[in-house]
């Protein structure tokens, strides 16, 4: 009996170390340990020589050994490809891994980042403010008192329970908040989302993005404004793009202008994008109205400043030749993933 147990232990060791890497070796293993003339069978045959009182114990050891050998066989069978239905598929480390889905930056983010980085190089710092704003910061402080007709051009969404609250129509509220801090000079760029009560169409949406700039110091002139914007246009749209200023009206700037750039799709010849004029309107600008400075407790006799504001969507439409503004907010991965390599 002791001798048999020792023998079983040594067979176990042999099975543990048994190398099976092909069907032939698998068959050799089967014949040696599990075949009709194999070792397991011959061990069972020894049962008759075991004393009766030890038979139960020996039977248990034998059964364990048999299961051990069968388990080794089944494992080896699966890994040598003899059993297609097995769960234990061989691990092939040479297979390529599952591709990780890498997101793309949103086209609006790409264009906004480009705009912001150009002004940052000129020394502008980024300022931020709330999208839910009160009437004073969005309108009144900007020289748009209640009942001012220019308010109609910037109809927005109001909060029913708080009639004084609204969704900001421009990022100029950030300019007001910065001016109120009273730390001069101010040289900021304000990127952000704004809202208008507009019918949603291919050309306009009830929300869009703006980048506004503000520079207030002593002796700031319209020439500084023009030079800054010239630099911006060349960096943003290319060295060959022409610029023109048209007189305009905004309540918060005086004098005011709108700036157009020559259409870089048709190079000024006229196309669908520029409505065959050769020019595309890109931003509004002007010298900060003295009343706005005074509203923010800045001495308008000592300080002057310029401000400008532009949408992000329109340049994005132009730069990427997109024909519908709604695509930017539909969250359609087929559209968005096309910008994976865009800059
Ligand atoms: Zn054109």
């Amino acid at each position: 009996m002791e001798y048999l147990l020792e023998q079983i232990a040594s067979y176990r060791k042999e099975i543990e170390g048994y190398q099976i890497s092909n069907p032939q070796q698998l068959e050799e293993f089967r014949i040696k340990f599990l075949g009709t003339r194999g070792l397991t069978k011959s061990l069972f045959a020894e049962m008759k020589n075991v004393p009766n009182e030890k038979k139960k114990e020996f039977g248990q050891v034998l059964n364990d050994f048999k299961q051990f050998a069968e388990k080794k066989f089944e494992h080896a069978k699966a890994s040598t490809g003899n059993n297609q239905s097995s769960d234990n598929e061989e691990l092939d480390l040479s297979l390529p891994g599952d591709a990780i889905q890498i997101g793309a930056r949103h086209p609006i983010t790409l264009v906004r980042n480009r705009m912001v980085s150009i002004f940052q190089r000129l020394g502008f710092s980024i300022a931020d403010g709330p999208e839910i704003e009160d009437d004073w910061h969005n309108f009144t402080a900007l020289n748009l008192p209640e009942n001012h007709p220019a308010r109609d051009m910037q109809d927005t969404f109001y909060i029913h329970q708080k009639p004084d609250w609204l969704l900001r129509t421009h990022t100029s509220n950030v300019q007001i908040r910065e001016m109120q801090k009273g730390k001069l000079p101010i040289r900021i760029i304000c990127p952000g989302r704004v809202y208008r009560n507009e019918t949603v169409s291919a050309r306009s949406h009830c929300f869009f993005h703006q980048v506004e700039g503000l520079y207030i110091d002593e002796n700031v002139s319209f020439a500084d404004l023009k030079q800054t914007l010239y630099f911006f246009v060349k960096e943003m749209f290319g060295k060959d793009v022409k610029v023109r200023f048209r007189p305009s009206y905004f309540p918060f700037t005086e004098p005011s202008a709108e700036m157009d750039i020559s259409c870089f799709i048709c190079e000024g010849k006229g196309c669908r994008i520029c409505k065959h004029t050769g020019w595309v309107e890109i931003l509004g600008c002007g010298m900060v109205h003295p009343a706005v400075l005074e509203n923010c407790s800045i001495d308008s006799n000592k300080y002057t400043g310029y401000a400008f504001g532009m949408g992000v969507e329109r340049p994005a439409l132009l730069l990427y030749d997109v024909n519908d503004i709604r695509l930017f907010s539909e969250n359609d991965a087929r559209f968005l993933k096309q910008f994976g390599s865009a800059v």
Side-chain angles (χ1 to χ4, degrees), residues 180-199:
Q180 280 183 303
K181 288 177 185 169
K183 274 176 71 180
L184 292 158
I186 295 170
R187 186 155 46 188
I188 53 163
I189 196 88
C190 324
R193 187 182 296 144
V194 302
Y195 304 83
R196 302 274 171 99
N197 185 11
E198 297 236 11
T199 309

Side-chain angles (χ1 to χ4, degrees), residues 9 40 45 51 75 87 91 97 100 104 115 134 145 149 157 175 193 196 217 222 231 256-257 267 282 311 322:
T40 311
H75 266 283
D87 293 336
L91 182 63
I100 297 167
M115 290 173 166
D134 58 51
F157 302 95
Q175 299 189 25
R193 187 182 296 144
R196 302 274 171 99
D217 202 346
F222 203 92
F231 177 82
S256 306
E267 293 173 340
I282 216 78
V322 177

Side-chain angles (χ1 to χ4, degrees), residues 263-276 278-280:
C263 178
F264 52 84
I265 306 283
C266 64
E267 293 173 340
K269 293 185 193 79
C271 71
R272 181 179 57 86
I273 299 292
C274 59
K275 293 179 188 143
H276 302 281
W279 296 95
V280 184

Side-chain angles (χ1 to χ4, degrees), residues 21 33 42 55 78 96 118 165 235 247 251 280 289 335:
S21 52
F33 291 100
S42 66
K55 269 192 168 49
I118 293 167
W165 290 8
E235 291 292 305
V280 184
H289 198 290
F335 172 72

Side-chain angles (χ1 to χ4, degrees), residues 11 15 21 38 43 47 51 56 63 66 70 128 131 136 153 181 200 203 217 236 239 246 250 317 319 325 333 336 340:
Y11 288 154
I15 290 171
S21 52
L43 283 169
M47 186 69 100
K56 194 181 169 194
N63 272 325
K66 190 185 173 201
E70 282 171 345
D128 202 5
E131 289 179 25
W136 193 82
M153 284 149 52
K181 288 177 185 169
V200 177
R203 307 293 300 171
D217 202 346
M236 186 77 195
K239 300 233 176 300
R246 285 179 290 110
F250 304 111
L317 292 171
L319 287 166
I325 201 171
L336 295 172

Side-chain angles (χ1 to χ4, degrees), residues 133-134 136-137 141 172-184 186 214 216 292-298:
E133 189 52 279
D134 58 51
W136 193 82
H137 285 92
S172 308
N173 65 324
V174 182
Q175 299 189 25
I176 297 296
R177 287 175 179 275
E178 286 297 315
M179 285 192 271
Q180 280 183 303
K181 288 177 185 169
K183 274 176 71 180
L184 292 158
I186 295 170
L214 174 71
I216 296 175
V292 175
L293 295 174
E294 297 295 339
N295 282 341
C296 301
S297 310
I298 294 172

Side-chain angles (χ1 to χ4, degrees), residues 91-189:
L91 182 63
D92 183 354
L93 295 174
S94 69
L95 283 171
D98 292 332
I100 297 167
Q101 290 278 345
I102 297 173
R105 281 209 174 84
H106 194 282
I108 295 298
T109 305
L110 291 167
V111 173
R112 186 201 61 199
N113 288 355
R114 264 175 73 177
M115 290 173 166
V116 168
S117 73
I118 293 167
F119 288 107
Q120 278 182 317
R121 276 188 277 144
L122 290 172
F124 286 78
S125 55
I126 296 174
D128 202 5
E131 289 179 25
I132 302 170
E133 189 52 279
D134 58 51
D135 183 284
W136 193 82
H137 285 92
N138 192 79
F139 288 126
T140 310
L142 284 149
N143 212 20
L144 277 151
E146 218 176 323
N147 304 322
H148 193 290
R151 279 195 180 204
D152 287 347
M153 284 149 52
Q154 295 193 9
D155 188 19
T156 184
F157 302 95
Y158 291 84
I159 313 295
H160 194 61
Q161 281 96 346
K162 298 261 184 186
D164 189 43
W165 290 8
L166 49 89
L167 297 183
R168 67 180 180 188
T169 58
H170 42 203
T171 54
S172 308
N173 65 324
V174 182
Q175 299 189 25
I176 297 296
R177 287 175 179 275
E178 286 297 315
M179 285 192 271
Q180 280 183 303
K181 288 177 185 169
K183 274 176 71 180
L184 292 158
I186 295 170
R187 186 155 46 188
I188 53 163
I189 196 88

